[in-house]
Amino acid sequence: YTEADLTAGDPSDPVREKVRLAYHPERSGDVYVVLNPYLLIGDPDKDNKLPTGTTHGAPHAYDTHVPLLVYGPGVKG
């Protein structure tokens, strides 16, 4: 997506809308690249594996709802 896409794009595109919400005109780059769902760019020298297994950076539904677990002294159940 380009800046023009994000500022005058179709609000019915759910992926574009998530990218638009993360866009900041003074801090974002010129182009936001969105990979196809379930596709990650790996390291070809390491059998295309990522060092951490995932990125949690895609605007797709499966990658935007990451569970958070908080526990410890003083945390109510």
Side-chain angles (χ1 to χ4, degrees):
Y1 293 93
T2 65
E3 180 180 18
D5 294 330
L6 299 175
T7 56
D10 178 10
S12 67
D13 176 358
V15 174
R16 187 209 68 90
E17 187 62 12
K18 288 177 183 174
V19 172
R20 186 191 66 78
L21 291 171
Y23 172 74
H24 189 284
E26 294 175 15
R27 294 188 232 159
S28 297
D30 295 330
V31 176
Y32 190 97
V33 176
V34 177
L35 299 177
N36 288 333
Y38 305 104
L39 181 66
L40 298 173
I41 296 177
D43 185 345
D45 293 332
K46 297 180 180 175
D47 296 326
N48 286 319
K49 294 181 181 176
L50 293 173
T52 59
T54 190
T55 64
H56 296 299
H60 304 293
Y62 70 88
D63 209 14
T64 58
H65 297 92
V66 179
L68 175 66
L69 176 66
V70 179
Y71 68 96
V75 177
K76 294 181 181 181

